[in-house]
Amino acid sequence: MGTSYRSADPVRTYRTYKTVWSFCAALCFTLSAVYYVREAGLSPLQLVLVGTTLELACFLFEIPTGIVADLYSRRLSVVIGVALIGCGFLLQGLSPTFVAILGAQVLWGVGYTFTSGADQAWLADEIGADQVAAVLVRTQQFGLGGTILGTVSAGALGLLDLSLPIKLSGVGMIVLAVLLGMFMREVNFQRTPVGERETFKHMADTFKHGLAVARKRPVVRTLVLISLIAGLSSEAFDRLWQVKILSFEFPTVFGTSDPALWFTMLGLVGTLLTLISSLILHKLSPERLTATHPNGVLALLALLQVVGVLAFALLGNLWLALAAMWLRSIADALSWPIESAWLNRNVESRSRATVISFVSQANAIGQVAGGPPLGALAGRAGLRTALVASGLLLAPIPALYARLRTPARV
C-alpha cells in the first residue's frame, strides 16, 4: 500500500512542496522580528544570538545530514527535515521566551540541513540532472506566489495576535511532512543494502568523494568560495536592514503607521517585484536561465547585489533605500535557481547531496564568522559603516563568476 501512495509525479510533488514551504516560511518570518521584540522582549544582543544559534546549527549538521541523504534515503531526509522545521516554528510561537526561541532555532536549523541538498538531489535523480534547471526556475515562481499569499496572511493574522501566524506556520510544515511521507516517491535512488552497510566507512567514503569533487572541479570550487563570501556579508545585512528601515518615519496608511503593517507591505512588494522580474527574465531570455555555463548572467546579478547593498547603506531617503534593498533581493532571488542547476550539472548522483551541502555549509561558516564582527562594527562605527562593509565584502563575487571559463568538458 505504501508504494501505491508514493506515485505522485516528482515535478508536481517538488513544486507543491516548495510552494507550501514558501507559504509557511512567509507566514512565520514576515513579522518574526516584530514578535521577537514586542512579545518576547529580546534585546539587540539576544537577537544576534538567535541568528548565530541558527547558523551554528546549520554549520554543524549540514554535512552529516547530507551524507545521510546520499546513503539512506533522500525522501526520508526531506520528510524528517520538514517535520523538524515545523516543530521549531511551533515552539517559538507557543513560547515567547529567549530560551524557547533559541531551542526553536536549533530545531529548524537542523531540520533545514536535512532538506538542504537532499530535495534538489532527489529531484535530479527522479527527472534527470539535465531537466532540473527549467523545473527550478518555474518552481521558484510558484514559490514566490506562496510567499505572497503567506505574507498577506501573516499581516492579517498578526493584527489579531503576533504569535498566531508563527504557530500556524509550524502546523502547516508538520502537515506538509506527513503528506510528503505519503506521496513523495523515490524510485531512482539506490540505497546501500543492509548487509553491506558499514556505516562509518560509507560515511567517510562519501564525505571524501564529495570533498574531492569540490576541490578538483573549478565550478564547484568557485561556488563554494562564493557561498562563503556571500555568507560573510549576508548575516549582518539580514539583521541590520530592519534596524535602518525602522529608523525612518513611516507614513500613515489605513489610519496607522504600525511597523507590523509596514513590514507586511514591504515584504509583499519585494516578493511581487521578484516574481515579476523572474517572469520577465524567463520570457525574454530563457536560454540564459538554463545555460550550461551561465557565468555571465550570474556575474551581472552579483554586481547588482553589490550595488543594491551599497546604495541601501548610503541613501538617507526611505523610498530610495527600499528600492536599493529590493534590487539586492531581486538579484539574489533570480541567481539562486540558475546557480543551483549549474552546481547539480557538475556533480554525480553518488555525492550530489553531499556536495550541495558543502556549498550550504560554506555559507553558514561565512555567516557565523561575519555576523558578529559586522554587528560589533555597527555598535562602534555606526549602522551605515557596517552596511557599507557588508556591501564591500560582496565585491569579489562578480569577478569570481566572470573568471570561470566555459570548460571543454563538463
Side-chain angles (χ1 to χ4, degrees):
M1 180 176 293
T3 303
S4 64
Y5 275 127
R6 295 175 194 138
S7 60
D9 173 69
V11 174
R12 188 181 301 115
T13 300
Y14 184 78
R15 191 167 291 163
T16 302
Y17 152 68
K18 295 302 288 187
T19 302
V20 177
W21 170 296
S22 299
F23 171 80
C24 291
L27 199 61
C28 179
F29 297 131
T30 298
L31 299 178
S32 61
V34 181
Y35 172 78
Y36 290 159
V37 174
R38 289 189 173 180
E39 298 295 319
L42 300 190
S43 67
L45 175 59
Q46 289 174 324
L47 289 171
V48 172
L49 290 176
V50 166
T52 302
T53 300
L54 173 62
E55 293 307 325
L56 280 174
C58 291
F59 168 71
L60 293 174
F61 288 91
E62 186 68 58
I63 291 299
T65 54
I67 294 175
V68 168
D70 280 327
L71 290 179
Y72 297 100
S73 168
R74 286 161 188 175
R75 183 190 69 84
L76 179 61
S77 186
V78 171
V79 170
I80 292 173
V82 173
L84 286 174
I85 292 170
C87 291
F89 288 177
L90 189 59
L91 174 60
Q92 69 177 2
L94 290 172
S95 180
T97 63
F98 179 54
V99 173
I101 291 173
L102 284 183
Q105 306 312 299
V106 174
L107 276 175
W108 90 260
V110 173
Y112 173 77
T113 64
F114 270 101
T115 65
S116 174
D119 52 6
Q120 291 180 37
W122 168 83
L123 180 67
D125 282 346
E126 297 303 309
I127 68 173
D130 293 340
Q131 305 299 317
V132 169
V135 173
L136 288 180
V137 171
R138 184 63 172 158
T139 298
Q140 186 195 42
Q141 294 166 3
F142 278 84
L144 288 170
T147 299
I148 291 170
L149 183 59
T151 301
V152 173
S153 301
L157 294 169
L159 293 175
L160 302 175
D161 182 350
L162 283 173
S163 69
L164 185 57
I166 297 175
K167 290 184 283 192
L168 289 178
S169 70
V171 173
M173 290 295 277
I174 294 171
V175 171
L176 176 61
V178 173
L179 293 176
L180 288 173
M182 295 173 60
F183 296 108
M184 188 177 187
R185 79 183 191 194
E186 188 172 49
V187 297
N188 293 328
F189 173 69
Q190 300 297 319
R191 296 176 58 183
T192 304
V194 176
E196 298 178 14
R197 282 186 195 155
E198 301 173 32
T199 304
F200 293 106
K201 180 180 182 300
H202 281 289
M203 290 181 72
D205 288 346
T206 304
F207 180 87
K208 290 176 183 177
H209 182 74
L211 183 61
V213 172
R215 284 175 173 172
K216 294 178 181 178
R217 299 193 180 185
V219 169
V220 178
R221 185 172 63 247
T222 301
L223 292 182
V224 170
L225 178 58
I226 286 172
S227 184
L228 174 65
I229 295 172
L232 288 169
S233 168
S234 66
E235 176 66 12
F237 185 87
D238 290 343
R239 302 294 167 184
L240 298 178
W241 77 262
Q242 297 176 356
V243 179
K244 173 160 184 174
I245 293 298
L246 286 170
S247 70
F248 292 106
E249 184 176 344
F250 294 116
T252 299
V253 177
F254 304 123
T256 180
S257 59
D258 192 324
L261 174 63
W262 269 97
F263 271 77
T264 299
M265 293 173 61
L266 296 181
L268 180 60
V269 172
T271 304
L272 282 170
L273 290 174
T274 302
L275 176 58
I276 293 169
S277 301
S278 178
L279 291 171
I280 292 174
L281 186 58
H282 187 268
K283 180 72 174 179
L284 297 180
S285 189
E287 69 280 356
R288 293 185 181 275
L289 301 181
T290 58
T292 302
H293 201 72
N295 62 317
V297 67
L298 286 171
L300 175 60
L301 291 171
L303 181 60
L304 292 176
Q305 290 184 60
V306 175
V307 172
V309 173
L310 290 175
F312 178 82
L314 297 172
L315 292 170
N317 176 274
L318 172 62
W319 302 109
L320 293 178
L322 288 174
M325 183 189 71
W326 286 327
L327 175 64
R328 180 257 187 190
S329 299
I330 290 169
D332 181 54
L334 292 178
S335 65
W336 177 82
I338 304 173
E339 181 181 304
S340 296
W342 195 15
L343 179 61
N344 269 282
R345 286 193 296 269
N346 281 272
V347 292
E348 301 167 354
S349 175
R350 174 192 171 196
S351 57
R352 183 168 284 127
T354 301
V355 173
I356 294 172
S357 290
F358 272 117
V359 177
S360 296
Q361 189 186 42
N363 187 270
I365 292 172
Q367 293 195 44
V368 171
L374 287 177
L377 180 62
R380 290 196 300 267
L383 186 62
R384 175 176 292 183
T385 301
L387 288 170
V388 168
S390 179
L392 293 176
L393 281 172
L394 292 175
I397 294 181
L400 287 172
Y401 278 128
R403 68 188 286 271
L404 278 172
R405 297 290 181 257
T406 303
R409 179 175 176 273
V410 178

